[in-house]
Amino acid sequence: MASHAALAHHFESLEKQTQAQRLGMWLFLASEILLFTALFAAYGVYRYLYAGAFAEASRGLETWMGGVNTFVLVTSSLTVALGLDAARQGRTRRTATLFFLSIGMGLVFMGLKAVEYRHHVLHGELPGRFYTAGHIAGSGGSLFFALYFLITGLHAVHVVVGMTVLGVIGVKSWRGAYSAEYHTPVELAGLYWHLVDLIWIFVFPLIYLI
Amino acid sequence: MSPRPASSAPVFAERNYLNTPATGLRSWLTTRDHKRIGVMFLVAALIAFAIGGFFALLIRLELLTPGPTIMDAMSYNRIFTLHGVVMIFLFMIPAIPSGFGNFLVPIMVGAKDVAFPRLNLLSFYLYLLGAVIALAGMVYGGADTGWTFYTPYSTTTPTKVVPILLGAFILGFSSILTGLNFIVTTHTLRAPGITWNKLPLFVWSIYATSVIQILATPVLGMTLLLVAIEHAFGWGIFDPARGGDPVLFQHFFWFYSHPAVYIMILPAMAVMSEVVCAFSRKNIFGYKAVAYSSLGIAFVGFFTWGHHLFTSGQSPYNAGVFGVLSMFVGIFTAIKVFNWVATMYRGSISFTTPFIYFVGFLFFLFFGGMTGVALATVSLDIHWQDTYFVVAHFHFIMVGSTMMAFLAALHYWWPKITGRMYNERWGLVAAVFVILGFVFTFLPQFLLGNEGMPRRYYSYPERYWALNVASTAGASVLALGFMIVLAYILVALKHGAVAGADPWGSRGYEWLTASPPPLENFDELPAFERGPHEYHDLPAASPQAPPGAARGASHG
Amino acid sequence: MSAHHAAHGPTVHSHVGRYLLVWGGLMILTAVTWGLSSFHLPGGAGVAVALTIASVKGGLVALFFMHLYDQPGPNRLVLLTSLVFVALLVLLTLLDNATRFPLANPPDAETAPQRIRDAILNEARPAPVH
């Protein structure tokens, strides 16, 4: 049975092991949150110093794309949560399907971001010394786009990692590696994906809705 | 466990983690045994210490004369940068937690291993990878920015700063994973009988260290990555010519690097709590105070980073806030010092090598800590900032305290890790060299700094000459002391007397198992009825044979 | 299987309804924050409103999608502690720039007096370092 094989020798019970894996995942998520923090702090400082420029730069973004992406990610979180729910009921093929659906939405997200990035490249809205757009006075424009690419870029990296994790766990779930008694990897994969969504929930208003 | 009668000879555990499940390089490189991983970390850290120490000797040689001695200014900048990077990221941060912590924490909580053994091995390989990348940068000339990588120089320097930044970034993840493992282990793998209030104090401090590692290290990682990106691609957010604020880097850098010094000192304090009880043969005075003060240091340490920016251009308002907050962290250290001293009072002291290093630790922690409080006073820091006063302060803590704690740990747990005792007389000799060498190296630096000698300068006015010579002389003695330790410790590997399960008569839980321990730590899990520092059932002032004497440990 | 291990048992009740409700709430709140942004509330108020809505959304995700609502204390403490330190770094760093003598901030920052900013913007820019 999957659950017996899953218990490591140094844990006294599967319940303890699951508790440990959850705590471990939350600690890892905490470190991921702190990874973004320096960028948010830089954003806070420079938005304060260049409030007008940031607002103007933000108005130049395609807000509807950011909004659609938010709807997409939130819905992908729903499908992941439903996937875990299915796993708890032992319906692991359903879990896989839902996870693949979430990956699909992740791809939509990345697609929209790619379109946006292309737009910025074409208009010279690039970070640091590559900023040539010029319609914003002072350094605010170049700083906005430096932070824009750093924050959304780091987030995109996490989206890709999240999709990979969902993919691996999805495939294993399809092949019957999990059951109602043991599906902790499904839960952990879900936690990572929800974090990706959680971060975007804050990124969207801070970048697009100034 | 009652003291072993002198007649029963100590036993070297034949089947132990060193030969189970297999010997040979491959079994070590693919191990999931926390004890082997701990040993590998210790070996790697000691090699790093030798490299960093070599750079330190080069620095002191250069400073023997006021003008250029053996190198030019650019080389000097690279050497002190590498000294800092190697010592801090490759030795001070990982040595005690990833070395001794890995070996001891599972045993001390009565577990078979850490919560995530494969993650533990990954942590070791990330350490190696980060070290290799950073040292590769050294081969290409290294950086000349100082280990603090201040912008805008670090983003514009022509030297090869990117490999070192990337190496440090990867090392950060090693640190995070180790911390994660220890926290989960402490929460979920404690044996029945080991409640939070019976947790060995070593574990409490390592737990607090782990909290800092998880919360602070990612910020450093991102910050160094930002510098690397700005250096390589020009995506400037610290570039003043593009509206950036270079002081912002300093905020981010010190948000990690101040708690980092607590990552360095908390494990040292962890060791000292164990050593003071074992060699005073007495319960710790104020268990809860010592345990919770570790968490206090970890928490409050995060609120103080701005005291590194007093003269950098942050607002005077912020300087005031950070100045006040910085004072609070000293309270928790004071609690520990008081409790350790109170533990010794009316104890039965054995003046063994670990205990000598404990005394050194205590003395130098006091002076290093007090000078820290002095430096945290804004008005005083205006005079001392970027002088040798600061250098002396942090070396008092890092070498005088943490390094001495490391040596205490090495000697205290050597018998547990290797099953053999070292030569106690040589231990004493080396300790004298180390302590005296230390004093002569760093005490003059307080005076130099107060008289205005700046740090990171390779030449200086003649009036600083005498003290610099004294400092270099001290450094030679210190280096000799370390080499003596290395010599007799390696000899002890092969020729040391067999130690047995508990050569010190210590009550720590790790001494309840054989030396070296078996693969799964305990052949038979003890009941853990007694606390880990409980000696009160011993008759008061009984004529105890000095620990080690009955073990046949060679004294000469 | 013992009763309190219901989450692992084969007859566990499903939380689909709860997830759909949360999803609905998240979609509505997203629309709300999007809509409110068109009012362009002045400076600090706009950020405060946006962050408050984002925090509510984040709370919903953490509590229900990530199951902190039905899990023991340590996991919640981990998340809360990390958020405390996020706030610490952001706020104390911001406090620095916000309380500096205006000319100690980057020269063309919008917090400097207007005449000084005009002078800087109108004169030749210093050669960038790259």
Side-chain angles (χ1 to χ4, degrees):
Chain A
M1 249 213 349
S3 51
H4 289 302
L7 180 61
H9 76 289
H10 55 289
F11 279 103
E12 64 188 37
S13 70
L14 196 61
E15 190 199 351
K16 267 277 156 154
Q17 179 179 293
T18 305
Q19 188 192 338
Q21 288 175 315
R22 270 192 206 130
L23 178 60
M25 192 46 154
W26 273 106
L27 288 167
F28 180 67
L29 294 183
S31 78
E32 292 279 53
I33 290 173
L34 267 297
L35 192 69
F36 278 86
T37 305
L39 295 176
F40 283 121
Y43 168 91
V45 167
Y46 289 132
R47 178 167 168 178
Y48 169 79
L49 291 174
Y50 298 94
F54 267 47
E56 201 178 328
S58 173
R59 273 194 291 280
L61 297 175
E62 300 279 5
T63 310
W64 71 268
M65 282 193 184
V68 167
N69 265 348
T70 309
F71 288 127
V72 165
L73 270 188
V74 164
T75 308
S76 72
S77 257
L78 171 69
T79 48
V80 162
L82 292 174
L84 175 62
D85 199 75
R88 282 191 177 161
Q89 316 227 349
R91 302 162 76 175
T92 53
R93 288 230 148 165
R94 194 158 203 235
T95 302
T97 314
L98 284 161
F99 272 22
F100 295 142
L101 200 54
S102 310
I103 293 175
M105 286 189 256
L107 286 169
V108 170
F109 178 91
M110 295 297 288
L112 281 174
K113 282 241 69 67
V115 169
E116 279 185 278
Y117 277 16
R118 185 172 167 274
H119 183 266
H120 296 311
V121 169
L122 289 175
H123 290 250
E125 292 162 342
L126 289 168
R129 68 178 161 120
F130 301 102
Y131 183 74
T132 55
H135 56 272
I136 299 174
S139 319
S142 123
L143 281 169
F144 177 85
F145 279 99
L147 285 167
Y148 170 86
F149 278 100
L150 284 167
I151 293 177
T152 60
L154 184 65
H155 181 260
V157 166
H158 283 75
V159 171
V160 170
V161 170
M163 289 196 296
T164 311
V165 168
L166 287 177
V168 168
I169 302 296
V171 165
K172 289 180 85 167
S173 189
W174 183 267
R175 290 188 182 159
Y178 310 120
S179 63
E181 289 81 27
Y182 176 71
H183 48 267
T184 311
V186 172
E187 191 179 337
L188 300 181
L191 281 176
Y192 192 83
W193 188 258
H194 292 308
L195 182 75
V196 168
D197 180 27
L198 194 53
I199 292 173
W200 183 260
I201 282 174
F202 284 90
V203 170
F204 172 58
L206 292 176
I207 297 279
Y208 290 88
L209 301 180
I210 303 179
Chain B
M1 184 183 282
S2 51
R4 201 187 292 271
S7 55
S8 82
V11 174
F12 186 95
E14 282 310 321
R15 295 286 299 161
N16 58 60
Y17 76 98
L18 292 165
N19 50 41
T20 329
T23 55
L25 188 64
R26 191 163 161 201
S27 75
W28 278 80
L29 294 177
T30 55
T31 185
R32 291 177 199 179
D33 179 5
H34 65 98
K35 298 181 288 300
R36 287 192 174 190
I37 294 174
V39 168
M40 291 197 290
F41 261 112
L42 279 175
V43 170
L46 284 170
I47 294 173
F49 182 73
I51 296 174
F54 172 68
F55 289 135
L57 286 175
L58 287 178
I59 293 174
R60 289 301 340 153
L61 273 177
E62 171 55 38
L63 291 175
L64 257 181
T65 73
T69 314
I70 55 170
M71 62 179 85
D72 64 354
M74 185 54 140
S75 305
Y76 185 76
N77 292 356
R78 294 177 206 253
I79 298 279
F80 69 65
T81 303
L82 286 168
H83 167 70
V85 168
V86 169
M87 278 306 203
I88 290 179
F89 293 118
L90 296 181
F91 179 74
M92 296 286 296
I93 299 276
I96 301 180
S98 302
F100 293 107
N102 256 321
F103 194 96
L104 293 163
V105 167
I107 302 180
M108 285 183 172
V109 300
K112 293 181 184 169
D113 210 312
V114 287
F116 308 116
R118 285 175 298 186
L119 215 61
N120 209 5
L121 186 65
L122 176 65
S123 173
F124 178 68
Y125 280 116
L126 286 175
Y127 171 86
L128 283 184
L129 182 64
V132 162
I133 293 178
L135 292 173
M138 172 180 96
V139 169
Y140 289 100
D144 63 339
T145 57
W147 82 278
T148 49
F149 300 110
Y150 276 12
T151 56
Y153 186 62
S154 60
T155 50
T156 57
T157 173
T159 58
K160 295 276 184 294
V161 74
V162 171
I164 299 185
L165 293 169
L166 286 179
F169 179 77
I170 294 171
L171 284 164
F173 282 101
S174 171
S175 191
I176 292 171
L177 292 178
T178 299
L180 193 156
N181 234 330
F182 287 153
I183 293 182
V184 180
T185 304
T186 312
H187 274 272
T188 61
L189 284 175
R190 277 169 294 120
I194 304 187
T195 60
W196 283 95
N197 283 327
K198 270 166 67 182
L199 212 52
L201 288 168
F202 180 85
V203 180
W204 270 109
S205 282
I206 295 286
Y207 182 91
T209 307
S210 305
V211 171
I212 306 179
Q213 284 176 302
I214 290 184
L215 292 174
T217 316
V219 177
L220 177 80
M222 179 53 47
T223 307
L224 296 184
L225 201 62
L226 287 173
V227 173
I229 290 173
E230 191 163 333
H231 188 268
F233 307 127
W235 290 21
I237 67 165
F238 302 123
D239 184 353
R242 279 173 230 286
D245 184 359
V247 178
L248 190 63
F249 168 84
Q250 295 186 28
H251 277 293
F252 294 163
F253 180 83
W254 288 109
F255 182 82
Y256 164 78
S257 299
H258 189 79
V261 313
Y262 298 114
I263 297 179
M264 298 183 229
I265 196 65
L266 273 171
M269 293 174 164
V271 174
M272 297 290 88
S273 294
E274 299 286 327
V275 166
V276 71
C277 293
F279 296 103
S280 312
R281 296 187 71 66
K282 196 160 161 281
N283 297 17
I284 188 75
F285 182 90
Y287 173 89
K288 282 198 176 163
V290 178
Y292 296 159
S293 61
S294 296
L295 295 176
I297 291 176
F299 189 66
V300 177
F302 272 96
F303 290 81
T304 64
W305 80 85
H307 62 237
H308 298 270
L309 279 69
F310 281 158
T311 60
S312 297
Q314 76 175 337
S315 72
Y317 186 83
N318 247 36
V321 167
F322 280 119
V324 170
L325 289 172
S326 300
M327 298 295 169
F328 287 112
V329 81
I331 297 175
F332 300 103
T333 307
I335 290 175
K336 284 186 188 281
V337 170
F338 177 80
N339 283 13
W340 288 324
V341 172
T343 303
M344 286 195 284
Y345 177 66
R346 286 184 153 222
S348 172
I349 309 270
S350 357
F351 221 71
T352 56
T353 309
F355 194 77
I356 298 170
Y357 285 121
F358 166 74
V359 174
F361 167 94
L362 205 62
F363 200 69
F364 300 134
L365 180 73
F366 182 75
F367 281 99
M370 293 299 285
T371 53
V373 173
L375 281 164
T377 310
V378 185
S379 47
L380 296 177
D381 188 60
I382 306 288
H383 177 59
W384 287 325
Q385 176 72 23
D386 282 332
T387 66
Y388 263 86
F389 194 90
V390 178
V391 175
H393 155 70
F394 63 70
H395 281 95
F396 256 66
I397 306 273
M398 294 210 245
V399 182
S401 299
T402 304
M403 190 57 202
M404 304 241 172
F406 179 86
L407 289 171
L410 190 66
H411 290 78
Y412 179 49
W413 283 305
W414 186 261
K416 180 55 58 182
I417 295 174
T418 63
R420 295 191 179 278
M421 286 297 283
Y422 58 90
N423 183 306
E424 185 61 48
R425 193 204 275 171
W426 277 107
L428 254 123
V429 168
V432 168
F433 272 85
V434 167
I435 290 178
L436 284 181
F438 168 82
V439 170
F440 276 102
T441 309
F442 295 109
L443 197 57
Q445 293 185 6
F446 275 123
L447 303 170
L448 280 170
N450 200 40
E451 292 188 19
M453 178 172 171
R455 65 186 288 199
R456 294 176 171 165
Y457 277 42
Y458 92 122
S459 66
Y460 51 82
E462 279 199 23
R463 66 179 186 275
Y464 299 135
W465 199 350
L467 286 171
N468 269 296
V469 171
S471 181
T472 303
S476 321
V477 173
L478 184 59
L480 190 57
F482 289 136
M483 287 192 259
I484 297 175
V485 174
L486 184 66
Y488 68 72
I489 217 86
L490 289 177
V491 166
L493 263 180
K494 273 244 145 181
H495 304 291
V498 171
D502 189 8
W504 305 115
S506 166
R507 291 291 166 80
Y509 293 149
E510 69 275 23
W511 303 101
L512 294 173
T513 186
S515 306
L519 179 66
E520 298 204 327
N521 298 336
F522 293 95
D523 283 322
E524 209 182 287
L525 198 66
F528 298 114
E529 278 154 4
R530 214 178 37 216
H533 311 289
E534 262 183 54
Y535 297 83
H536 58 235
D537 54 323
L538 292 172
S542 61
Q544 298 273 349
R551 305 282 80 81
S554 50
H555 280 278
Chain C
M1 293 240 173
S2 50
H4 77 278
H5 284 214
H8 301 280
T11 53
V12 71
H13 46 275
S14 162
H15 291 295
V16 172
R18 186 198 271 185
Y19 297 146
L20 286 170
L21 264 175
V22 169
W23 174 76
L26 288 169
M27 300 295 255
I28 292 172
L29 285 170
T30 305
V32 166
T33 196
W34 194 344
L36 278 178
S37 72
S38 57
F39 290 113
H40 292 296
L41 298 165
V47 179
V49 168
L51 281 179
T52 309
I53 297 177
S55 302
V56 173
K57 290 166 73 180
L60 285 173
V61 171
L63 281 171
F64 298 107
F65 283 168
M66 298 170 99
H67 302 103
L68 279 184
Y69 185 75
D70 17 61
Q71 270 176 17
N75 299 344
R76 293 183 194 177
L77 191 59
V78 168
L79 179 64
L80 281 171
T81 309
S82 68
L83 295 177
V84 166
F85 288 100
V86 172
L88 180 67
L89 179 61
V90 175
L91 291 175
L92 269 179
T93 310
L94 192 51
L95 188 70
D96 173 19
N97 290 84
T99 54
R100 279 191 207 170
F101 179 59
L103 292 178
N105 274 320
D108 57 346
E110 293 158 24
T111 52
Q114 189 61 40
R115 57 180 175 78
I116 293 175
R117 295 187 60 227
D118 287 338
I120 291 168
L121 287 171
N122 289 334
E123 74 187 39
R125 297 185 67 79
V129 284
H130 272 274

